[in-house]
Structures are given as structure tokens and as C-alpha cells.
Amino acid sequence: MASPGFVKDQFYEYVFAEAIKQDIRVLIENRPKFLLVHSSSGHKQALKEVLSDSAVGVKLADTKAAGEVRALDSFYHMLQNEPNRAFYGIKHVERASESNAIETLMVTDELFRSADVATRQRYVRLVEEVKAGGGTVRIFSSLHVSGEQLGQLSGVAAVLRFP
């Protein structure tokens, strides 16, 4: 749970008081798994701030969301330091795939599961090519902050093995 000030603490106490009153075993048994973290606001934009907190990182180390955040951070780092190894946009990424140069492919689930059959086939083919070439593929949830950020970069990006 995250919030500015003491809202998270009060909400945490309320949730568990109600769980005890109503005998909600799932909540009671999982109480140690809850983590209280400070955030600058209660809005969706604060989620990235919360996910970058080291205490949260330790708890979420093996989750899909944390992997997505790490992959996107790696892409941004590469884009800043070695821009010829960080591609985004379908045409550039497809050219890199033809050269078997993709180390990590990132695609939003909106594109991968597109209602348009031709679009969906194009992205499925790209994912299969990258996997066949030994690359890693990450499908980002468009409901997560990292998926939204990837969506702003055309929905597809890649970190390359070589320029």
C-alpha cells in the first residue's frame, strides 16, 4: 500500500480490523506480505515512484511487473548511452529482427493481441522470430505504467545485441 502521509497506515489498520471482524482468512494469513510505502501522491503516476523503492523492489523481484520495469529501464539506459543499440517502432525493430540482432524485444499486449488480424499476425511473427533467434520477449500489460510508457514509444521496442 502506498500513499502520501498517514493514509496508507490508517487504511492498512482499517482493512485488517475489518478482516478480523468478518473473518476473511485470505487477508489475515497474507498480512506479512503487505508493504507500506510512502509516495508523493495518490495518483497513478506515483506507481513508478513506488516501484522504484528498494523495499518494494526486493518484494517484487520475481514478478512480471518488476521484470517489465527493469527491461524498460534497460532500454532507456541503452537509448541514452548507446542509441544505436536501442530501437523502437515496428519498421526499425523488424529490420533488427531480420539481422537476428535483438537481445530483448518489448511489445505491448494491445499490439500482440490486436483485434486487427494482420496487425496481430505481424507482431506474433516478430515475437516468434526473436524467440527462434535466442532473444528474450516481454509482453507488457498496457494497464501497467511501464506498458503505458512503452505504448508512448509506438508499443514496440528492442535492445540489440550489436548495433
Side-chain angles (χ1 to χ4, degrees):
M1 290 183 197
S3 77
F6 300 103
V7 175
K8 65 186 169 302
D9 302 309
Q10 294 166 349
F11 184 68
Y12 178 81
E13 292 304 322
Y14 171 78
V15 166
F16 285 102
E18 287 298 311
I20 291 168
K21 277 185 202 173
Q22 297 177 25
D23 196 34
I24 303 173
R25 290 269 171 234
V26 174
L27 277 175
I28 297 167
E29 291 168 2
N30 289 299
R31 188 174 189 157
K33 294 180 182 178
F34 281 79
L35 187 63
L36 301 177
V37 181
H38 174 76
S39 69
S40 59
S41 78
H43 297 283
K44 191 175 181 180
Q45 294 82 357
L47 190 56
K48 185 170 183 180
E49 172 190 342
V50 169
L51 289 173
S52 65
D53 185 292
S54 60
V56 174
V58 169
K59 285 265 191 183
L60 298 178
D62 296 331
T63 65
K64 183 178 186 258
E68 290 176 1
V69 169
R70 280 192 305 271
L72 199 59
D73 285 346
S74 170
F75 173 78
Y76 283 132
H77 182 268
M78 194 66 69
L79 190 61
Q80 188 173 29
N81 297 317
E82 294 182 64
N84 53 350
R85 286 189 53 209
F87 282 14
Y88 61 95
I90 187 63
K91 290 180 182 177
H92 293 245
V93 172
E94 282 178 331
R95 267 191 241 122
S97 178
E98 290 167 7
S99 303
N100 199 23
I102 297 177
E103 183 177 315
T104 306
L105 174 68
M106 296 165 277
V107 181
T108 61
D109 61 353
E110 278 182 346
L111 293 174
F112 190 69
R113 296 182 181 105
S114 174
D116 178 44
V117 176
T119 302
R120 184 173 59 239
Q121 287 176 337
R122 186 176 190 181
Y123 286 96
V124 167
R125 190 176 329 107
L126 177 63
V127 165
E128 289 171 353
E129 286 174 8
V130 170
K131 283 182 178 179
T136 304
V137 175
R138 294 201 172 272
I139 307 296
F140 282 58
S141 169
S142 52
L143 300 176
H144 190 271
V145 174
S146 59
E148 287 180 358
Q149 288 178 335
L150 182 59
Q152 292 171 357
L153 285 174
S154 77
V156 62
V159 174
L160 307 184
R161 293 184 178 105
F162 51 86

